[in-house]
Amino acid sequence: MPICPNCGVELASGSKHCPLCRETISSEGDSATSGFAYPDHTLDPENFEDLTGHDKRKIFLEVYSVCSLIACFVVLAVELLMDQRISWSLFPVVSLCYLWLLVCTPFILIRYPWLIFAVLAPASLIFIFLLDLLTQGLSWFFWVGMPIVLLVEGLSLGCIVLTAASKRKGVNVIALVLLGISLLCLGIEAILNLNYAPSFFLSWSAVVATAGIPVAGFLFYLHYRITKRASLKKLFRL
């Protein structure tokens, strides 16, 4: 039975076009195509388990992008039909675009982790900037939004760099996360107090830091002092 040389679908004898991909089948190649072997690999979403990682990412990106575009179109169309203008629909559209970057950038740049951070870091700032611009016209971005975003990105980058530089990874990674969260809470409350509070005073963030920093210190001690000589499984008989 002849086989389409483009997609590998079996064809009826005498077929002029492939019913799946519409590839033209030359009449002089009928005998040749009858002995044409199946391609080494075809992109068939039905056989999802047989697809390569690249093909799975490609299918996911395509489906997610189409769904995001449909969602943006629906939101804009609803406001245009109801209010004959575009105002509040810009918020979900901007949010959906930012969410697309958060979800799809790691899939697209999976081989370049530092490039992922280089794309998402300014994207987060732009997203916060647009939210402020769409609400009251840049009233809090430069004094609150941008410092908090830079603080989050700086602490995240610091945790990633220290984790990558660690020769032996274990509970020290948890300690870095706890330390980063504690510093983040202190920084957020400090930024808010400097802009909105009548006086500078740390309250809830001090409680978080008081609980998180000692635990992080203990985990660092456990990792670099105790488990250096014995693994946790042996130490606690797990």
Side-chain angles (χ1 to χ4, degrees):
M1 182 176 289
I3 298 171
C4 174
N6 183 49
C7 64
V9 170
E10 293 182 355
L11 306 174
S13 299
S15 297
K16 300 299 182 182
H17 296 85
C18 174
L20 180 63
C21 68
R22 307 306 300 171
E23 177 76 10
T24 301
I25 307 299
S26 60
S27 57
E28 61 182 13
D30 287 342
S31 59
T33 55
S34 62
F36 188 83
Y38 279 103
D40 294 335
H41 176 68
T42 56
L43 186 61
D44 187 1
E46 293 184 359
N47 300 326
F48 191 77
E49 296 299 329
D50 298 331
L51 298 178
T52 64
H54 174 74
D55 290 334
K56 290 179 180 179
R57 291 192 296 271
K58 185 177 179 181
I59 293 174
F60 171 79
L61 289 172
E62 182 176 342
V63 173
Y64 187 80
S65 299
V66 171
C67 293
S68 298
L69 287 174
I70 292 174
C72 292
F73 174 78
V74 169
V75 171
L76 292 171
V78 167
E79 187 179 14
L80 281 174
L81 291 174
M82 295 180 60
D83 302 332
Q84 288 76 46
R85 61 176 183 149
I86 294 179
S87 59
W88 60 264
S89 59
L90 292 176
F91 288 95
V93 168
V94 170
S95 300
L96 286 170
C97 293
Y98 176 64
L99 185 61
W100 186 91
L101 284 174
L102 289 180
V103 174
C104 296
T105 300
F107 284 92
I108 298 173
L109 303 175
I110 189 172
R111 297 182 180 180
Y112 309 98
W114 295 111
L115 193 57
I116 295 175
F117 187 85
V119 172
L120 295 182
S124 299
L125 284 173
I126 294 173
F127 172 64
I128 299 299
F129 172 82
L130 290 176
L131 288 182
D132 188 23
L133 185 64
L134 292 174
T135 51
Q136 300 177 1
L138 299 181
S139 61
W140 49 266
F141 171 75
F142 292 105
W143 298 274
V144 177
M146 184 172 66
I148 290 179
V149 172
L150 292 177
L151 177 64
V152 172
E153 294 177 348
L155 290 174
S156 300
L157 181 60
C159 290
I160 293 173
V161 170
L162 292 176
T163 300
S166 178
K167 296 181 180 179
R168 189 168 56 91
K169 299 175 180 61
V171 293
N172 60 329
V173 178
I174 302 176
L176 284 172
V177 173
L178 285 176
L179 185 61
I181 292 174
S182 301
L183 295 176
L184 176 63
C185 292
L186 290 171
I188 289 176
E189 188 174 16
I191 293 171
L192 294 176
N193 282 343
L194 289 173
N195 288 277
Y196 299 112
S199 60
F200 186 85
F201 179 74
L202 298 178
S203 57
W204 60 269
S205 63
V207 176
V208 175
T210 302
I213 293 177
V215 174
F218 172 74
L219 292 177
F220 279 127
Y221 164 77
L222 191 66
H223 179 79
Y224 291 105
R225 181 65 179 174
I226 303 300
T227 61
K228 184 177 181 180
R229 300 178 181 178
S231 65
L232 286 178
K233 291 184 177 180
K234 294 180 179 179
L235 186 65
F236 295 104
R237 300 183 183 278
L238 298 177

